[in-house]
Amino acid sequence: MEIFGVDIGGSGIKGAPVDLDRGDLAQERHKVLTPHPATPKDVAGSVAEVVGHFDWSGPVGITFPGVVTGGLTRSAANVDKGWIDLDARNLLSDKLGLPVTVLNDADAAGIAEMTFGAGRGRKGTVIVLTLGTGIGSALFIDGRLVPNTELGHLELNGHDAEKHASTKAKEDEDLSWHHWAHRLQKYLAHVEMLFSPELLIIGGGVSRKADKFLPLIEHVRAEMVPAELQNNAGIVGAAMAAGGS
């Protein structure tokens, strides 16, 4: 069965039909730049552009980079503040003319990784972290999701951790892999102190280059592995949510 998934990020909005049996994209994804400012109206228009690229008619799963409860977007750290307490499900459904499911972006990526990727079959406490414009998180206890954890906003050095250790921070400050890995290590050690996970799955686009930074991280007891679905995890997880998986 195929369901369409869309992943709204701070820098790009990407989507594709997803084969739910394989947990992989059924066609090459289409991506557009996230509008700035990322207002609800403009983002909805970009989502419609991505979905329209495939002439899709059917359910659509859509991720959002913030807290989502019952189709309402409750926070907006890396998008326009107009998203706060917005009925995003209705907005996007009306724009697309299709049934829509909306969920947190990292939760979507986590669901995909736990079903088809690096977390498949793992019990205990598993945390999936998506490194990008911010830091998203998905917490699983014996395979069950604890939604909307938003661990990128844990305080580190007096600031949101994502301001210090995200991929965007690395790029904005032109940090070397060693310097960035040192920052990331401090963040991961903080997460480990609070949650004692058995497994940390590192996702987002930078997971493609995991060999450049994961070996540099020390003093973290949890097993650390790169996400297997890499930057497609959000699209796959969004489609899974829309398909009832």
Side-chain angles (χ1 to χ4, degrees), residues 107-176:
D107 286 349
I111 290 167
E113 282 294 330
M114 293 298 288
T115 305
F116 296 108
R120 186 170 52 243
R122 294 296 293 258
K123 299 297 183 183
T125 303
V126 178
I127 296 177
V128 181
L129 297 170
T130 57
L131 307 178
T133 303
I135 298 177
S137 63
L139 170 64
F140 294 85
I141 309 296
D142 290 331
R144 294 176 63 88
L145 173 68
V146 180
N148 294 308
T149 47
E150 292 288 281
L151 301 183
H153 300 299
L154 290 172
E155 185 177 314
L156 192 66
N157 297 331
H159 303 281
D160 271 10
E162 68 179 22
K163 303 297 185 187
H164 187 71
S166 66
T167 306
K168 185 175 188 297
K170 179 187 184 306
E171 294 169 350
D172 287 351
E173 299 179 47
D174 195 25
L175 301 176
S176 69

Side-chain angles (χ1 to χ4, degrees), residues 14-16 25 27-31 54 208 231-232 235:
K14 52 191 180 291
L25 306 189
Q27 299 182 48
E28 184 176 349
R29 72 187 189 187
H30 182 67
K31 180 178 180 179
F54 296 87
R208 293 191 298 268
N231 216 20
N232 288 336
I235 296 173

Side-chain angles (χ1 to χ4, degrees), residues 6-214:
V6 177
D7 190 12
I8 298 173
S11 59
I13 298 172
K14 52 191 180 291
V18 174
D19 184 330
L20 294 185
D21 296 321
R22 295 187 299 113
D24 199 2
L25 306 189
Q27 299 182 48
E28 184 176 349
R29 72 187 189 187
H30 182 67
K31 180 178 180 179
V32 300
L33 295 178
T34 302
H36 291 284
T39 64
K41 178 182 177 182
D42 289 343
V43 168
S46 295
V47 170
E49 180 181 346
V50 170
V51 176
H53 178 80
F54 296 87
D55 292 324
W56 179 262
S57 60
V60 178
I62 302 174
T63 77
F64 177 77
V67 173
V68 182
T69 58
L72 304 179
T73 45
R74 301 294 193 180
S75 67
N78 294 306
V79 289
D80 187 81
K81 301 307 179 188
W83 287 95
I84 296 174
D85 293 331
L86 180 73
D87 190 338
R89 179 170 55 200
N90 278 347
L91 169 74
L92 293 163
S93 182
D94 288 347
K95 182 66 177 179
L96 297 176
L98 300 170
V100 162
T101 300
V102 184
L103 71 162
N104 174 267
D105 57 349
D107 286 349
I111 290 167
E113 282 294 330
M114 293 298 288
T115 305
F116 296 108
R120 186 170 52 243
R122 294 296 293 258
K123 299 297 183 183
T125 303
V126 178
I127 296 177
V128 181
L129 297 170
T130 57
L131 307 178
T133 303
I135 298 177
S137 63
L139 170 64
F140 294 85
I141 309 296
D142 290 331
R144 294 176 63 88
L145 173 68
V146 180
N148 294 308
T149 47
E150 292 288 281
L151 301 183
H153 300 299
L154 290 172
E155 185 177 314
L156 192 66
N157 297 331
H159 303 281
D160 271 10
E162 68 179 22
K163 303 297 185 187
H164 187 71
S166 66
T167 306
K168 185 175 188 297
K170 179 187 184 306
E171 294 169 350
D172 287 351
E173 299 179 47
D174 195 25
L175 301 176
S176 69
W177 288 108
H178 279 81
H179 192 166
W180 183 62
H182 181 67
R183 288 191 180 188
L184 188 59
Q185 174 181 299
K186 288 184 176 180
Y187 170 65
L188 296 176
H190 190 50
V191 169
E192 182 171 61
M193 177 192 70
L194 294 171
F195 295 97
S196 301
E198 284 89 353
L199 176 65
L200 288 165
I201 300 173
I202 308 301
V206 75
S207 61
R208 293 191 298 268
K209 301 177 181 179
D211 61 313
K212 294 185 179 294
F213 65 92
L214 279 188

